[in-house]
């Protein structure tokens, strides 16, 4: 892995910590043992996210803002303002780091542009935080932007339907979900993973149908 020269030691360490918490970000592997040692002294996973935010607080680079958005969003309720603030900074800051060597990555058989994926993740975290604060107009706008960048994401589609439900009502949410049956990502498909094994991807359709069933029970 080749890291951008502007990445600081704190950012590398924060990325290693966040990777250990399940949000993988490319980082210097030499930081992994240091991250493990620090985590061993924590009592809760919440402390990992708080340490990531602390490490990134002195920098306003796109990487630091991205890491902070992810950490704040993982902290959950009560940290919405942090998500929104850092997401705005990220979206207004030119990228200054390489998050791996390839512009395209393949996940579960789907080709994704790395830059679109990261921007979409930030927009979705922002929309979720805004919805939690009842800023539904802004949340809907940002979730639509996230879904446009990640049309393969059933989670992004379902989250958009949930915000639509608040803003435009049950009928609008149901119609949007039903329209997703026409998406090129709706039909389940087979793919071969990195280990050469054949896998079945039906995540998009399962997410859509599960949410439709939920709305049906509510109606």
């Amino acid at each position: 892995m080749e890291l951008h020269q502007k990445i600081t030691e704190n950012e590398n360490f924060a990325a290693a910590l966040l990777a250990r918490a399940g949000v993988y970000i490319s980082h210097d592997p030499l930081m992994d043992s240091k991250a493990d040692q620090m985590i061993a002294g924590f009592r809760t996973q919440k402390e990992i996210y708080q340490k990531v935010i602390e490490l990134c607080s002195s920098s306003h680079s796109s990487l630091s803002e991205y890491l902070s958005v992810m950490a704040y969003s993982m902290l959950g309720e009560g940290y919405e303002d942090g998500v929104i603030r850092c997401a705005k900074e990220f979206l207004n800051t030119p990228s200054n780091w390489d998050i791996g060597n390839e512009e395209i990555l393949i996940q579960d058989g789907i080709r994704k542009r790395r830059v679109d994926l990261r921007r979409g993740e930030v927009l979705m975290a922002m929309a979720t935080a805004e919805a939690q604060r009842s800023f539904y107009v802004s949340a809907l706008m940002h979730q639509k932007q996230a879904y446009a960048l990640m049309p393969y994401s059933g989670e992004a589609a379902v989250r958009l339907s949930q915000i639509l439900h608040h803003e435009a009502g049950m009928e609008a949410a149901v119609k949007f979900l039903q329209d997703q049956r026409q998406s090129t990502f709706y039909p389940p498909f087979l793919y071969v993973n990195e280990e050469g094994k054949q896998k079945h991807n039906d995540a998009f359709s399962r997410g859509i149908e599960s949410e439709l069933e939920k709305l049906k029970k509510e109606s």
Side-chain angles (χ1 to χ4, degrees):
M1 182 194 68
E2 180 179 342
L3 291 168
H4 193 289
Q5 62 179 2
K6 291 185 179 179
I7 292 181
T8 67
E9 183 175 345
N10 276 358
E11 288 171 331
N12 255 319
F13 187 33
L17 286 169
L18 207 53
R20 284 298 192 262
V23 183
Y24 185 76
I25 308 295
S26 292
H27 59 274
D28 186 343
L30 294 177
M31 290 289 180
D32 287 342
S33 60
K34 182 179 177 182
D36 289 339
Q37 290 174 8
M38 176 167 283
I39 290 171
F42 289 157
R43 290 171 296 179
T44 67
Q45 187 148 311
K46 183 177 180 179
E47 292 178 78
I48 301 176
Y49 306 132
Q50 291 171 330
K51 185 62 179 180
V52 168
I53 293 166
E54 177 189 330
L55 288 166
C56 294
S57 62
S58 60
S59 172
H60 296 288
S61 69
S62 59
L63 176 55
S64 282
E65 299 300 351
Y66 176 83
L67 293 169
S68 296
V69 169
M70 295 299 106
Y72 274 122
S73 64
M74 296 298 285
L75 282 169
E77 186 177 355
Y79 293 89
E80 294 87 358
D81 288 348
V83 174
I84 294 169
R85 183 183 70 254
C86 294
K88 287 179 179 177
E89 290 294 330
F90 173 86
L91 295 170
N92 290 321
T93 302
S95 178
N96 74 321
W97 95 96
D98 296 325
I99 196 149
N101 295 326
E102 307 85 8
E103 181 183 0
I104 302 295
L105 70 157
I106 299 177
Q107 292 181 332
D108 300 326
I110 298 175
R111 290 173 61 86
K112 305 174 183 180
R113 290 187 72 232
R114 200 179 295 271
V115 64
D116 290 343
L117 174 61
R118 297 308 180 195
R119 192 173 182 86
E121 289 172 335
V122 169
L123 282 162
M124 187 153 69
M126 185 180 191
T128 299
E130 288 171 330
Q132 289 169 339
R133 294 292 305 277
S134 299
F135 302 151
Y136 290 113
V137 173
S138 182
L140 183 58
M141 177 183 69
H142 290 129
Q143 188 59 36
K144 284 180 177 178
Q145 292 172 355
Y147 181 54
L149 290 169
M150 303 187 297
Y152 46 76
S153 171
E155 181 184 1
V158 166
R159 188 61 191 141
L160 178 49
S161 76
Q162 292 170 343
I163 299 173
L164 268 174
H165 191 180
H166 282 282
E167 259 307 280
M170 171 82 75
E171 186 175 341
V174 170
K175 183 180 185 305
F176 172 78
L177 289 169
Q178 290 174 337
D179 287 346
Q180 301 314 299
R181 290 170 173 164
Q182 306 305 313
S183 167
T184 57
F185 298 101
Y186 182 87
F189 63 92
L190 295 174
Y191 68 97
V192 177
N193 68 10
E194 294 179 353
E195 298 175 350
K197 296 180 180 179
Q198 195 173 66
K199 295 289 185 177
H200 183 248
N201 187 337
D202 63 349
F204 190 97
S205 58
R206 281 191 294 105
I208 297 301
E209 295 306 321
S210 176
E211 190 67 13
L212 278 168
E213 185 64 26
K214 175 184 172 183
L215 292 177
K216 182 180 179 181
K217 290 178 181 179
E218 290 181 8
S219 61

